[in-house]
Amino acid sequence: MGLRLMSMMVEESKSKKGGQLISLIHGFSSSHGDPFVRAFAERLLAHVTRPFYDMLRQWIYDGELSDPHNEFFVSEHQPGDSEETNGETRSRGAPSVWDDKYKLDEDVIPSIMTKDFAKKVFLIGKSLNFIRYDCGDSAWVAEYSKDASKELRYGDTATLEASIDEAYKTTMARLMHLMTDKFKLFDHLSALKKYLLLGQGDFIALLMESLSSNLDRPANTLFRHSLTAQLEHAIRGSNAQYDSPDVLRRLDARMLMQGHGEIGWEIFTLEYKIDAPIDVIVTADGSREYLKVFNFLWRVKRVEFALGSTWRRCMTGARGVLGSVADKVGADWKVARCCIAEMIHFVCQLQYYILFEVIESSWDELQVATSKPGATLDDLIEAHSRYLKAITHKGLLGGSGTGRKEDSFLAQLHEILKVMLAYKDAVDGLYSFSVAEYTRRHEFSAKIESRTAQGKWGVTEADEDEQLRSPSPRGPSASTTTTATNLPGHEDQMLPTLRHRLSALSIDFRAKVNVLLGDLAYQPDVDMRFLGVVMNFNDVYEPIRRKRAKEGAPREKKTPTGAPTASSAAAGATRGGGKEKEKDAG
């Protein structure tokens, strides 16, 4: 009878090995109706499982995989292996110890243990291997193996479960201690938040102020050592100087790939260097996400800095130079100041939303998730991944729901910020014109006073004719303000051109904001909808709702610049012109 049973088992197990063979024999011992067959299978399992338990003991106490015939349910990736991920095959190059070196083969898990139990065993060995090779704490692993190692055998389920539970708690506690205390994981995450997510406000403000003169120049005239010197100056002049030396040495300034005609603002970026073993949590993909968020926030901060500088100059000039020419450009300055204030409000609300409603709330969730008792390294990796995903999605770096890349929130915000910078340049042009007009009037008044003091007529017919022919200044002081205004008759065309430019940019700004607010109003996330409410708290804008893009549907005809048509822009920028109809951007 026993020989016939063994013959039958051999026939059925020809294509099976390891855990599959154990599952086959265990099936006879657990589900067969004949007591003799069950007893025979139980005796056979005691011998068949001996190599399996030897491999299990070495895995959970030493973190080493001793499986020359690929019979264990843990397998090691070989260089060049590929893995199917979301329908795409990606090549495996140099594997990392934590994510890619080992994998759990569920098909080889024997039926004598559950899948959850096998996953716990897998995590114990992987953690020990990580502690030994990536954390450099092989001495602790050797001491732990010497003290805790015990013989494992089939049938002693209570001892096996107790051993696995004890090994799991000890290993996870040691790994978390190393990551948090020895390698300062949370110090590095906090540094990433402070420097790449602009959480250290005084440092960012000083850095931008000290770099502004350099970054206004063409990109090909910048040198990295000058940027690094300004970075060190910002560190010494802010509270960043009190961070640990290990954190500060990882912070560096670098330049992105240069394009034709770019300026320093477009290629400057900060870099925070991450090395092993922290790089299993802040991976290369995670570092790219941080860089993406920093570049966007830096651009927003640059626009705020530029608008703030222009606003201060306008307010200062209103009590001096601009007040003297109010009869000519006073109305233009009222409109310009209102529009600049509107843009500053938009930028401030956008910054508040991203820095506080998104980043700070996500940071709190990350701290709660990582401080849970019994948290594992996988839990840390998953919590940090959710943290970055929340920042990029809720931080308006994702899609807008229309289905087209050019309609994403990031693309829309870049266009709005570009319009703001163009408006700031136009306001600077208006300021230069106002200074030139003030200089011309001041020189003319001085000439009148000089002639009157000599007993002559203050204004002659020749002066009146000259003013009619060319009212632009001729003195050397005027030439220092702007060269264009020295051209004969150019002032007659310059002011209308500036007015038209300022009006067009203001209309374009409101039109783009209307579209953005329309997209925000129908987002499923309540915080994103709240951003639209805050930006339009007094209903000064009229949001435009766009429909989703449909395949094969004809697209709406756009202007050559891709901006809304003049009629739709004007309708979106004026109040009292009737309620805006919903438009199809598909």
Side-chain angles (χ1 to χ4, degrees):
M1 182 67 176
L3 291 177
R4 286 201 303 270
L5 280 174
M6 292 186 65
S7 175
M8 183 177 61
M9 291 179 183
V10 168
E11 288 296 325
E12 293 187 14
S13 63
K14 282 185 177 180
S15 60
K16 302 180 184 300
K17 62 179 181 179
Q20 296 174 337
L21 177 60
I22 294 174
S23 298
L24 174 66
I25 300 175
H26 183 253
F28 284 99
S29 69
S30 60
S31 60
H32 202 282
D34 191 339
F36 176 81
V37 174
R38 291 202 303 270
F40 181 84
E42 283 288 327
R43 292 195 304 273
L44 190 59
L45 276 175
H47 299 282
V48 171
T49 57
R50 189 173 300 164
F52 172 80
Y53 279 104
D54 288 341
M55 288 186 285
L56 179 63
R57 182 188 59 78
Q58 194 167 359
W59 176 250
I60 65 172
Y61 292 124
D62 295 323
E64 298 288 354
L65 181 62
S66 177
D67 185 19
H69 303 292
N70 298 323
E71 296 177 320
F72 200 52
F73 58 85
V74 177
S75 60
E76 184 175 3
H77 272 292
Q78 299 298 327
D81 286 352
S82 60
E83 182 176 305
E84 193 77 14
T85 305
N86 296 330
E88 297 181 358
T89 301
R90 58 188 180 97
S91 177
R92 294 280 185 168
S96 70
V97 173
W98 185 260
D99 290 322
D100 300 332
K101 187 174 182 180
Y102 296 108
K103 72 172 184 177
L104 178 65
D105 191 352
E106 295 186 357
D107 294 334
V108 193
I109 297 176
S111 58
I112 59 177
M113 62 174 57
T114 63
K115 287 186 178 181
D116 291 338
F117 191 81
K119 289 178 180 178
K120 183 180 287 189
V121 169
F122 172 68
L123 187 57
I124 292 171
K126 189 169 68 166
S127 300
L128 286 172
N129 193 281
F130 184 79
I131 293 172
R132 180 191 294 272
Y133 293 106
D134 267 25
C135 298
D137 198 7
S138 57
W140 180 87
V141 176
E143 185 69 22
Y144 163 76
S145 176
K146 180 180 177 181
D147 295 340
S149 181
K150 61 183 69 174
E151 183 182 359
L152 303 175
R153 62 181 183 272
Y154 176 73
D156 194 357
T157 306
T159 302
L160 176 62
E161 291 182 352
S163 300
I164 295 299
D165 289 340
E166 184 65 26
Y168 181 81
K169 293 177 182 178
T170 305
T171 306
M172 293 304 108
R174 181 63 182 180
L175 181 56
M176 294 302 294
H177 167 74
L178 290 174
M179 296 299 289
T180 56
D181 295 344
K182 180 180 179 180
F183 297 106
K184 309 294 183 183
L185 169 65
F186 295 107
D187 288 352
H188 295 305
L189 292 179
S190 177
L192 286 166
K193 174 177 173 288
K194 288 195 292 186
Y195 299 119
L196 295 192
L197 302 183
L198 307 193
Q200 188 75 31
D202 58 337
F203 165 77
I204 296 299
L206 184 56
L207 179 65
M208 182 161 289
E209 184 177 350
S210 57
L211 281 175
S212 58
S213 58
N214 290 326
L215 298 183
D216 285 333
R217 302 203 307 262
N220 55 10
T221 64
L222 296 179
F223 298 96
R224 186 173 180 179
H225 66 268
S226 62
L227 301 180
T228 305
Q230 296 299 331
L231 174 63
E232 293 175 354
H233 167 71
I235 291 175
R236 291 193 301 269
S238 65
N239 285 329
Q241 63 181 309
Y242 301 113
D243 270 336
S244 67
D246 180 55
V247 167
L248 296 180
R249 72 175 178 82
R250 297 170 182 268
L251 191 62
D252 193 17
R254 66 184 183 92
M255 296 183 289
L256 301 175
M257 190 70 67
Q258 297 181 13
H260 179 70
E262 290 184 337
I263 62 175
W265 289 105
E266 296 166 348
I267 66 166
F268 172 80
T269 188
L270 285 182
E271 179 184 29
Y272 191 84
K273 298 174 183 176
I274 296 291
D275 50 21
I278 304 299
D279 58 355
V280 302
I281 296 176
V282 186
T283 61
D285 291 337
S287 297
R288 283 191 289 270
E289 290 296 317
Y290 276 111
L291 182 62
K292 178 181 178 181
V293 177
F294 171 80
N295 289 334
F296 172 67
L297 291 176
W298 181 256
R299 185 177 178 87
V300 174
K301 205 72 177 177
R302 175 215 173 176
V303 172
E304 182 198 32
F305 179 79
L307 291 176
S309 300
T310 300
W311 176 264
R312 288 192 297 271
R313 186 163 63 166
C314 294
M315 292 297 100
T316 304
R319 297 189 294 269
V321 175
L322 302 183
S324 302
V325 294
D327 58 322
K328 188 168 187 176
V329 291
D332 300 309
W333 276 112
K334 286 182 181 179
V335 175
R337 283 193 291 266
C338 288
C339 192
I340 290 178
E342 187 177 339
M343 292 178 177
I344 291 176
H345 169 75
F346 179 89
V347 170
C348 289
Q349 293 300 325
L350 179 62
Q351 282 191 101
Y352 163 78
Y353 168 74
I354 296 176
L355 295 179
F356 292 95
E357 297 294 341
V358 176
I359 295 178
E360 286 297 335
S361 62
S362 300
W363 175 256
D364 289 341
E365 293 175 2
L366 174 66
Q367 288 183 313
V368 170
T370 54
S371 61
K372 290 180 179 178
T376 66
L377 190 57
D378 280 328
D379 295 333
L380 295 185
I381 294 173
E382 178 63 24
H384 183 260
S385 177
R386 289 197 305 268
Y387 170 67
L388 280 181
K389 185 177 180 181
I391 291 175
T392 53
H393 173 67
K394 294 177 64 175
L396 307 182
L397 302 183
S400 63
T402 61
R404 296 204 302 268
K405 184 177 180 180
E406 61 270 21
D407 292 335
S408 68
F409 287 124
L410 183 61
Q412 291 186 64
L413 288 171
H414 276 316
E415 290 298 319
I416 292 175
L417 296 176
K418 195 181 298 182
V419 171
M420 290 181 180
L421 290 175
Y423 193 85
K424 176 257 180 190
D425 292 337
V427 171
D428 288 343
L430 181 62
Y431 187 86
S432 298
F433 174 85
S434 302
V435 171
E437 176 66 16
Y438 170 79
T439 304
R440 183 188 66 80
R441 294 185 180 187
H442 181 72
E443 290 180 349
F444 191 65
S445 298
K447 185 187 295 185
I448 293 175
E449 292 178 1
S450 175
R451 288 176 178 174
T452 304
Q454 296 174 5
K456 300 178 182 179
W457 291 104
V459 180
T460 63
E461 293 182 358
D463 292 331
E464 293 177 351
D465 293 340
E466 183 180 357
Q467 290 294 319
L468 291 174
R469 288 196 308 270
S470 178
S472 59
R474 287 290 186 266
S477 61
S479 64
T480 62
T481 58
T482 177
T483 304
T485 55
N486 290 334
L487 299 176
H490 181 76
E491 185 178 298
D492 293 336
Q493 295 105 21
M494 186 175 183
L495 185 56
T497 301
L498 285 172
R499 286 171 174 167
H500 181 268
R501 175 71 172 160
L502 291 169
S503 176
L505 290 172
S506 176
I507 291 174
D508 194 19
F509 169 74
R510 284 208 166 194
K512 293 182 184 300
V513 172
N514 286 336
V515 174
L516 175 66
L517 295 179
D519 289 342
L520 287 174
Y522 296 95
Q523 289 300 308
D525 187 86
V526 64
D527 291 331
M528 298 178 74
R529 296 199 303 270
F530 180 72
L531 172 63
V533 173
V534 171
M535 286 183 171
N536 194 25
F537 68 97
N538 56 354
D539 290 334
V540 69
Y541 300 107
E542 297 178 356
I544 299 174
R545 183 181 181 183
R546 301 185 299 180
K547 297 180 181 178
R548 292 179 178 270
K550 297 180 180 179
E551 294 184 5
R555 292 192 174 186
E556 181 181 332
K557 186 177 180 181
K558 294 184 177 181
T559 59
T561 60
T565 60
S567 59
S568 64
T574 57
R575 300 294 306 274
K579 189 173 182 180
E580 189 75 36
K581 294 183 178 180
E582 293 183 357
K583 296 190 177 180
D584 186 359

